[in-house]
Amino acid sequence: MSLKQGQKVEIFQCSKDESWEQYMDGFVGLHGIITDPDASINDPDDLVEVSVVGKGTFRLPQDCLRVLED
Amino acid sequence: MNSGSCPVSEALIELRERLDKGVLSHPRCRTIAEQALGLIRDIAWARAGRDHLQALEGLAEQLAAWDGDPSCSETGQHLKSALFEHHEAFASHIKTKNCPTGQCVRLAPAPCQMACPAGIDVPTYVTLIGMGRYDEAISVIRKDNPFPWVCGLVCTRPCEFMCVRGRMDEPVAIKPLKAFAAERAFSTLTYNNPPKAPDKGRKVAVIGAGPGGMSCAYYLAVMGYQVTVYEDLPVAGGMIMVGIPRYRLPREVIDREVAMIEELGVEIKFNTRFGRDVTFASLQEEGYEAFFVAVGAHEAYSLSIPGEKDFEGVRDAIAFLKDVALGERHAPGKHVVVVGGGNVAIDAARTSLRLGARSVTIAYRRDKDAMPADHEEVEQAEQEGIHFAYLTIPVEVVGENGRATGLKCLRAELVAKPGSDRMAPLPIEGSEFVMEADAIIAAIGQKVDDSCLADLTAVDWTHRNTLCVNSVSMETTMPGVFAAGDAVTGPATVIEAIGGGKRAAQGIDRYLSGLPQPKTPPVPVRRSMLPHLQTSAETKMTLERPEMPLLFLDRRRTTFQQVELGFDEAAAKEEARRCLRCDVCLRCGKCVEVCRDRMKVNALELGYFDFDHPVKTDFRKIEEKCILCGACATNCPNGAMQIRDEDGWRVLSLCGTRLNRAPLVQCSMCKEPLGTERYLEFVKNRASQGGVPVSSMYLCVNCARKTGAHSVSENLPHNHGETP
């Protein structure tokens, strides 16, 4: 997934990535905005910074994200 | 607002229901329950102090121990278990004055504050700037971030992406406002440190003087710890000093804010590399009880193409920017090609230009749309004359006599990758060409240089070669060792490093105090509840986000002077007035619903309330339909919507923005204010629909009654005192 700053996303599932922590299970179903995509090489394995509505800003693996609009 | 349940709100609702339904029959028991309800309400309404929780636990205990009435002891037990299970949530409400679920409506935090990785109370400091109280604004920011000036210049501003004003037009310029306030506070000598707690006599070592390390050091010093920072470089600041060029972030800005941290007693040992000059064991011997590792990600990825290691003139952007930051002033070459599409690539290109390169080209394998660099940085680079070669894949460095002369590249096209929505660059066969270049700078990413951390044998690493931590407390897998910043996240943002440093300081304090670590991320703290800035709907709508004044182009191309010149005072104060005060209005929509569904007026078209599908909002249009009935204000749970009578006028405002005003009509007889003409017409129409005759005069209830009674009395036959 090539993510862009300002893009709206949904955390649609828990990630299997090691960086996924238990408290993040509560994010599933919430929407957010990409505030910092992977910094330079568009690596699908990179963590991206997402501001999750009502929860805060976190580095999340990309496999839990679904783009809501272009 | 947000999903999820709030134990404070649930306890409040449950106890109120028990009281309302008369479940508690014993009078003394009811009194205790009412007292408990009052205390919970205080907690949910940001009025609680430190003693509230203890007092509440005492009342729950009294109820639970009640002998005479089983319902009473059951209520007490229930409350006791809620307080026990959710002790952290109750304590967090008291401490932070924020409820992230939004269910305690008075404590619903603003989206900008929630979005900030350091949890800065944005609405409070923006309002303080609007009031001209810049020193207080800086004090508020520094409670959560000791680098307001740095962040005012280089933050990636997640807050602005979540800014609700952005759903109407442009987000509030939160970042530049912070820079303005910091500069003003330094200039007027009102940028002060908070008071320090008494010395605890315990030592903490911080490895790395970057934003994460210095933030952790700052909060630990404020808490009373003795902090020493070990830094490999001869300067403080880490990547913000050696990775961000001076035209974006002047050195003086970093020096001044670092000096404020040093004033708190933090000692920085420069040119001291962890793992070489000092070790984990040697520092333990010196009495350090906890360690914070924030070594950053200073090692660059190489291009891994033929010729890269064979010719002079090929280097990585991280080393290049570091050399320039530490004094190198020679151009890397006459014709420079920078490979990459992130902010580091832009920084390397613009730096090369300022050092005198004749041509600078950024080669990026995807298109402009996919470029991860900040669009403002890209725009400024284009203005300065940097060339961009998109869809260009480097394949070989070519050269003569040991010196690079060009970069052989292939043209690419973006194609869909099977099983993925990610477009991948595919080289076009036969499209080979050579870009003239005597300097080739690779800016394709960084990684953690783990060589200095070999001592930390019990620390786990992720598959990304970053330090493995619990992101709530920033604890590593090695007891007493905490970490944050790029060494944990990989190359990330300054504000994330600062937030991580602050969380780590709290984690270290708990560790050294023998307390358990929290299980969920900290809730940002509401620092104040300020009155609204007053403005008209017209002003609120027409104020535009100010353009950032920039240094003129010739000087930008030739010197390292700061490009963004910052707002002047008038622009900063005006900009602060664009804030919608989302710390007060939580956009619950109750005002809209009552106006539309109950009153059938539908004046409040506040389209920005919806996160996913915001529609147009125009505060100026509200007065076209609004009858100033006040139903919206009555139903507003937070006092965001207010209606009041002022000097013969009725005024409706939303967080200080005047939405409508109209003269009050007075009672024709006693002159008591009755409402606006449009409101009285509304009532009259409703009443006449019901068939009730209404006088053409405007009378208050008392005068109408008197008039009615008089008229009836006149029409009755005189009874001469006879009884019926």
Side-chain angles (χ1 to χ4, degrees):
Chain A
M1 193 161 32
S2 185
L3 295 164
K4 285 179 282 185
Q5 203 175 40
Q7 218 164 17
K8 281 184 183 167
V9 291
E10 180 187 3
I11 295 104
F12 76 103
Q13 62 177 13
C14 294
S15 169
K16 293 183 175 66
D17 192 274
E18 64 192 321
S19 63
W20 186 266
E21 295 179 50
Q22 202 181 353
Y23 70 85
M24 294 173 180
D25 290 353
F27 296 176
V28 175
L30 298 181
H31 293 182
I33 290 181
I34 300 287
T35 47
D36 187 40
D38 52 323
S40 51
I41 52 176
N42 298 106
D43 184 348
D45 187 46
D46 264 355
L47 302 177
V48 295
E49 189 189 59
V50 186
S51 213
V52 185
V53 175
K55 293 289 180 187
T57 298
F58 305 88
R59 285 266 156 196
L60 298 177
Q62 295 180 41
D63 65 346
C64 68
L65 302 174
R66 178 157 63 194
V67 175
L68 286 174
E69 61 180 42
D70 284 330
Chain B
M1 272 297 291
N2 184 27
S3 60
S5 60
C6 168
V8 176
S9 175
E10 281 175 1
L12 182 73
I13 292 166
E14 189 158 344
L15 191 55
R16 192 169 52 207
E17 276 180 4
R18 280 173 187 248
L19 280 162
D20 289 349
K21 287 177 182 168
V23 174
L24 308 171
S25 51
H26 194 285
R28 175 69 190 140
C29 184
R30 280 189 68 82
T31 304
I32 297 170
E34 276 163 4
Q35 287 171 344
L37 186 71
L39 292 181
I40 302 174
R41 193 176 284 128
D42 283 350
I43 294 171
W45 285 24
R47 295 186 307 206
R50 284 182 176 181
D51 303 335
H52 267 66
L53 202 45
Q54 201 181 354
L56 186 57
E57 283 165 344
L59 292 173
E61 189 64 55
Q62 281 185 52
L63 287 173
W66 198 265
D67 273 342
D69 182 355
S71 63
C72 194
S73 56
E74 189 208 331
T75 302
Q77 287 295 352
H78 205 80
L79 184 56
K80 258 180 78 175
S81 78
L83 290 169
F84 179 74
E85 279 175 39
H86 306 290
H87 187 274
E88 288 236 5
F90 278 85
S92 167
H93 275 59
I94 295 168
K95 186 183 166 200
T96 67
K97 297 190 172 22
N98 269 334
C99 170
T101 69
Q103 288 185 11
C104 299
V105 289
R106 300 263 170 131
L107 306 186
C112 49
Q113 183 177 17
M114 283 303 286
C116 176
I120 306 173
D121 186 351
V122 178
T124 294
Y125 84 73
V126 167
T127 305
L128 286 167
I129 290 170
M131 293 171 170
R133 292 154 64 179
Y134 310 121
D135 54 334
E136 289 175 65
I138 288 303
S139 296
V140 165
I141 297 168
R142 292 189 89 231
K143 285 180 192 291
D144 297 295
N145 173 357
F147 287 103
W149 201 359
V150 167
C151 284
L153 298 179
V154 299
C155 186
T156 48
R157 56 190 190 282
C159 52
E160 290 190 22
F161 285 95
M162 294 301 272
C163 175
V164 176
R165 179 81 200 209
R167 302 179 200 169
M168 286 169 60
D169 42 36
E170 292 284 315
V172 175
I174 299 168
K175 183 184 85 156
L177 284 179
K178 195 158 38 226
F180 167 80
E183 190 172 305
R184 178 57 64 96
F186 265 120
S187 163
T188 54
L189 306 177
T190 51
Y191 188 117
N192 298 315
N193 272 327
K196 265 180 77 169
D199 191 349
K200 290 185 193 300
R202 305 184 78 172
K203 292 166 74 175
V204 180
V206 171
I207 318 300
M214 292 308 294
S215 298
C216 183
Y218 171 80
Y219 291 107
L220 286 170
V222 170
M223 285 187 250
Y225 290 98
Q226 295 170 15
V227 187
T228 309
V229 182
Y230 293 91
E231 171 57 53
D232 187 16
L233 293 166
V235 287
M239 215 36 129
I240 59 174
M241 181 63 92
V242 298
I244 297 178
R246 297 289 74 86
Y247 61 84
R248 283 176 63 199
L249 179 59
R251 177 175 175 152
E252 296 78 4
V253 173
I254 306 169
D255 288 344
R256 293 294 296 268
E257 294 201 313
V258 167
M260 292 301 295
I261 298 171
E262 287 180 298
E263 256 184 38
L264 287 165
V266 172
E267 186 188 359
I268 309 176
K269 297 199 170 179
F270 294 110
N271 302 307
T272 308
R273 186 175 171 84
F274 185 72
R276 183 189 65 198
D277 305 312
V278 289
T279 63
F280 185 59
S282 71
L283 293 176
Q284 276 186 315
E285 276 171 29
E286 285 182 44
Y288 289 96
E289 296 178 75
F291 294 79
F292 177 64
V293 180
V295 295
H298 290 252
E299 195 174 317
Y301 285 109
S302 63
L303 292 169
S304 303
I305 56 174
E308 186 181 8
K309 309 279 182 208
D310 304 334
F311 299 106
E312 202 181 307
V314 185
R315 61 195 314 193
D316 71 77
I318 296 303
F320 168 61
L321 291 171
K322 182 173 136 187
D323 288 348
V324 175
L326 296 178
E328 170 62 52
R329 282 295 174 270
H330 293 100
K334 285 183 182 170
H335 302 287
V336 180
V337 174
V338 180
V339 181
N343 283 330
V344 177
I346 306 283
D347 288 343
R350 296 176 73 187
T351 297
S352 299
L353 191 79
R354 281 160 172 78
L355 290 171
R358 290 192 177 180
S359 75
V360 183
T361 305
I362 291 178
Y364 181 52
R365 61 187 178 146
R366 294 169 188 269
D367 59 10
K368 186 176 181 180
D369 208 30
M371 226 174 163
D374 196 305
H375 75 274
E376 283 175 9
E377 299 295 323
V378 176
E379 207 172 273
Q380 290 180 12
E382 284 173 338
Q383 289 165 0
E384 290 166 10
I386 307 287
H387 304 289
F388 287 82
Y390 296 109
L391 297 165
T392 300
I393 302 175
V395 290
E396 185 183 349
V397 175
V398 294
E400 286 175 13
N401 305 322
R403 173 93 211 168
T405 57
L407 184 66
K408 192 184 284 181
C409 301
L410 285 170
R411 300 271 180 226
E413 59 182 342
L414 291 178
V415 295
K417 211 175 170 182
S420 160
D421 59 352
R422 177 179 160 82
M423 298 289 278
L426 185 75
I428 300 171
E429 214 173 301
S431 64
E432 199 173 273
F433 67 104
V434 176
M435 297 171 78
E436 185 189 359
D438 54 352
I440 296 158
I441 300 174
I444 57 166
Q446 303 110 261
K447 55 188 173 181
V448 182
D449 174 6
D450 57 6
S451 62
C452 64
L453 303 178
D455 270 5
L456 305 177
T457 49
V459 165
D460 279 356
W461 292 76
T462 69
H463 76 276
R464 298 181 178 87
N465 198 40
T466 54
L467 288 165
C468 189
V469 299
N470 168 339
S471 68
V472 175
S473 62
M474 308 316 284
E475 277 178 302
T476 68
T477 47
M478 192 166 169
V481 179
F482 296 73
D486 288 359
V488 166
T489 54
T493 63
V494 176
I495 192 67
E496 280 176 280
I498 290 168
K502 190 178 79 168
R503 286 201 300 282
Q506 290 157 354
I508 290 168
D509 181 47
R510 285 201 182 204
Y511 169 75
L512 293 176
S513 308
L515 297 172
Q517 299 291 353
K519 301 288 175 224
T520 54
V523 177
V525 182
R526 186 182 300 240
R527 302 297 175 184
S528 186
M529 284 188 171
L530 292 170
H532 310 128
L533 298 171
Q534 300 297 319
T535 181
S536 68
E538 180 70 25
T539 305
K540 196 77 163 189
M541 292 306 299
T542 53
L543 278 174
E544 289 181 4
R545 180 179 166 123
E547 286 282 321
M548 173 58 70
L550 301 178
L551 189 69
F552 63 94
L553 203 53
D554 288 337
R555 194 161 294 171
R556 278 164 58 183
R557 290 168 52 85
T558 51
T559 73
F560 282 84
Q561 286 183 28
Q562 192 176 343
V563 170
E564 295 189 350
L565 301 175
F567 293 162
D568 62 23
E569 185 169 14
K573 282 178 135 177
E574 288 285 272
E575 182 60 2
R577 292 168 74 194
R578 291 180 65 240
C579 175
L580 297 170
R581 288 300 301 271
C582 303
D583 58 329
V584 181
C585 173
L586 61 152
R587 302 160 309 287
C588 64
K590 284 185 179 156
C591 55
V592 176
E593 281 168 24
V594 73
C595 182
R596 183 190 57 212
D597 302 337
R598 301 271 297 277
M599 301 305 293
K600 312 285 186 199
V601 174
N602 199 18
L604 300 173
E605 292 177 18
L606 301 172
Y608 69 95
F609 278 10
D610 194 280
F611 174 80
D612 286 326
H613 308 289
V615 289
K616 198 170 185 309
T617 298
D618 192 342
F619 290 143
R620 292 168 296 193
K621 297 220 167 197
I622 289 170
E623 66 175 19
E624 289 175 10
K625 289 189 190 169
C626 173
I627 58 171
L628 286 159
C629 64
C632 52
T634 307
N635 282 277
C636 176
N638 244 9
M641 193 71 87
Q642 292 181 347
I643 196 155
R644 62 187 188 279
D645 295 345
E646 286 176 352
D647 303 327
W649 291 72
R650 180 153 290 177
V651 182
L652 177 72
S653 62
L654 173 60
C655 293
T657 302
R658 200 169 52 245
L659 301 176
N660 193 14
R661 68 195 284 267
L664 281 163
V665 175
Q666 295 171 328
C667 171
S668 303
M669 290 178 69
C670 72
K671 306 299 176 197
E672 186 184 299
L674 295 177
T676 63
E677 195 163 340
R678 204 188 269 181
Y679 170 67
L680 295 172
E681 280 299 310
F682 173 84
V683 174
K684 186 175 162 185
N685 288 338
R686 282 223 167 164
S688 62
Q689 278 169 18
V692 180
V694 173
S695 159
S696 59
M697 290 195 335
Y698 287 122
L699 296 176
C700 69
V701 176
N702 284 340
C703 293
R705 193 178 292 131
K706 279 182 200 163
T707 310
H710 183 67
S711 141
V712 170
S713 156
E714 275 184 349
N715 292 330
L716 283 174
H718 293 285
N719 56 23
H720 306 290
E722 293 166 11
T723 51

